[in-house]
Amino acid sequence: MANFTDEIRTELIKNFSGGREVCLAALSAFMRTGGSLIRTGGSYGFELATESELTAHFFADMLENVFSTELSDFSSRSDLASGRDKLVFSCVNGNGTALLREMGVLGEDKDGLYVDFSVGSFIVSGEGCAEAFVKGAFLGGGSCTLPDPDGASTTGYHFEVVFRNKTTAADFCDILCSFDVLAKLVKRKDSAVVYLKSIDAISSVLSLMGAESALARLKKVARERDDSNNENRVNNCSVSNIDKTVSASVKQVQAIEVIRSTVGLQSLDENLFSVAEGRLADKNASMQELADRLKISKSCLNHRMRKIAEMARQLAQD
């Protein structure tokens, strides 16, 4: 069976479309996952590296045709960390500094140019730009694995994008959150990894990127696993799920009561207040039921509940 990550990359590149602004968002993300800065004198250039030949040619063509940038040193090098070969190409001409500033990778203040690890809102605010940023990030540092349909492997569903630093990774989490996808962030050696492990979250990201064929394969694998495990899942999980729902609800109500008895629920912002009010109105509702009533996604509801719990913990400590 073909590598699922390569399938996604191929589909993203095949279906990629958009003007200069969209290309800039994708390129900015690719630079933050597969790129490095080169400084020569007072100017900056950059180098891009990827294991995928298709991805390398995609961004090389974009740089030359969309941004009129001359590339040099297109070669293959062995990556000491992974032991795999990478295609490397660079831009070290006069256009490099200007393009890096346009990508938001370089900023400028009274002291001159500086490296900006944050993702500026101007990069992802245009129509289709946030989606393009997600695509570029996956092409530069993403991977996705699926479990074996027959359950022979212990490998589960896993989607991740590796960034060079935590600031960029945190901003990427915010971009995903704006699409109701709640990702997790972890440090791994010198990198920051944004990852998803639930089928729903991975499905949402694949849909966001327009990877419909990959999404169909994910759903097929999920159906096959569900068919093979359905009887045991029904027998074993029913009581457990009820217990978890009750336990989660009790903890949530306790946190809300802490806030109400100290600073009052009116101190919450509108989103958190509606969640708190909804939980108190129905203490037995499951998270999915509560999310449906509030007309938000379950992942978004979980995110807001965590904020409420954190606020309650801080108030209890004070």
Side-chain angles (χ1 to χ4, degrees):
M1 188 175 285
N3 181 291
F4 191 49
T5 297
D6 287 340
E7 284 187 19
I8 298 172
R9 286 177 182 149
T10 300
E11 188 172 5
L12 295 185
I13 291 172
K14 179 181 177 182
N15 298 330
F16 190 90
S17 63
R20 193 178 194 280
E21 192 176 31
V22 169
C23 291
L24 188 67
L27 182 61
S28 178
F30 187 67
M31 177 66 197
R32 296 167 189 276
T33 50
S36 56
L37 292 176
I38 301 172
R39 187 167 187 176
T40 55
S43 298
Y44 283 90
F46 56 89
E47 182 178 85
L48 298 171
T50 175
E51 295 174 11
S52 166
E53 183 176 356
L54 184 64
T55 301
H57 286 293
F58 172 70
F59 280 101
D61 289 344
M62 180 187 291
L63 283 164
E64 291 177 342
N65 298 327
V66 178
F67 299 102
S68 302
T69 299
E70 293 182 11
L71 302 177
S72 58
D73 192 27
F74 206 108
S75 60
S76 176
R77 300 181 197 170
S78 179
D79 185 353
L80 296 179
S82 66
R84 295 187 292 266
D85 288 338
K86 286 191 173 184
L87 287 169
V88 180
F89 53 101
S90 59
C91 169
V92 292
N93 60 26
N95 188 38
T97 300
L99 187 53
L100 286 166
R101 292 183 62 183
E102 196 173 359
M103 284 190 280
V105 175
L106 291 180
E108 186 172 14
D109 57 21
K110 60 182 178 62
D111 297 320
L113 294 174
Y114 64 91
V115 179
D116 190 350
F117 295 111
S118 63
V119 181
S121 59
F122 67 94
I123 294 293
V124 295
S125 59
E127 183 177 355
C129 289
E131 294 91 332
F133 192 92
V134 176
K135 295 175 187 177
F138 185 83
L139 290 172
S143 63
C144 189
T145 56
L146 300 178
D148 291 337
D150 58 8
S153 171
T154 57
T155 302
Y157 301 95
H158 186 84
F159 175 103
E160 72 174 37
V161 178
V162 182
F163 291 89
R164 298 296 176 85
N165 67 88
K166 190 175 180 180
T167 299
T168 312
D171 285 350
F172 186 71
C173 287
D174 289 340
I175 292 171
L176 292 180
C177 190
S178 71
F179 291 100
D180 286 339
V181 177
L182 190 61
K184 295 183 179 180
L185 171 59
V186 65
K187 288 285 290 181
R188 184 188 296 165
K189 295 183 179 179
D190 295 328
S191 302
V193 182
V194 175
Y195 69 94
L196 307 166
K197 283 190 171 293
S198 76
I199 299 175
D200 289 343
I202 296 173
S203 295
S204 296
V205 170
L206 292 178
S207 178
L208 170 65
M209 295 191 299
E212 297 300 329
S213 295
L215 178 58
R217 178 174 166 187
L218 170 66
K219 291 181 177 179
K220 181 175 183 293
V221 170
R223 281 196 306 271
E224 291 172 349
R225 283 175 62 86
D226 283 346
D227 289 343
S228 64
N229 299 322
N230 186 58
E231 185 175 351
N232 286 336
R233 186 166 60 247
V234 170
N235 292 337
N236 296 334
C237 292
S238 295
V239 174
S240 176
N241 285 341
I242 292 172
D243 291 342
K244 288 180 181 178
T245 297
V246 172
S247 176
S249 177
V250 169
K251 291 179 181 179
Q252 292 161 5
V253 170
Q254 289 175 342
I256 294 168
E257 292 294 351
V258 168
I259 296 173
R260 180 159 67 176
S261 64
T262 52
V263 294
L265 295 184
Q266 297 299 327
S267 64
L268 298 173
D269 64 33
E270 182 179 351
N271 290 334
L272 297 185
F273 180 82
S274 66
V275 167
E277 192 177 48
R279 172 50 81 200
L280 292 179
D282 190 348
K283 298 178 182 180
N284 296 320
S286 69
M287 290 294 279
Q288 188 60 63
E289 290 169 341
L290 186 56
D292 291 342
R293 291 171 191 170
L294 295 173
K295 294 181 169 41
I296 59 177
S297 70
K298 185 178 176 182
S299 63
C300 188
L301 175 61
N302 279 322
H303 184 56
R304 294 177 186 178
M305 281 295 188
R306 277 195 286 270
K307 286 188 175 182
I308 289 174
E310 179 60 29
M311 183 177 179
R313 279 194 294 270
Q314 292 176 357
L315 290 171
Q317 292 173 357
D318 295 342

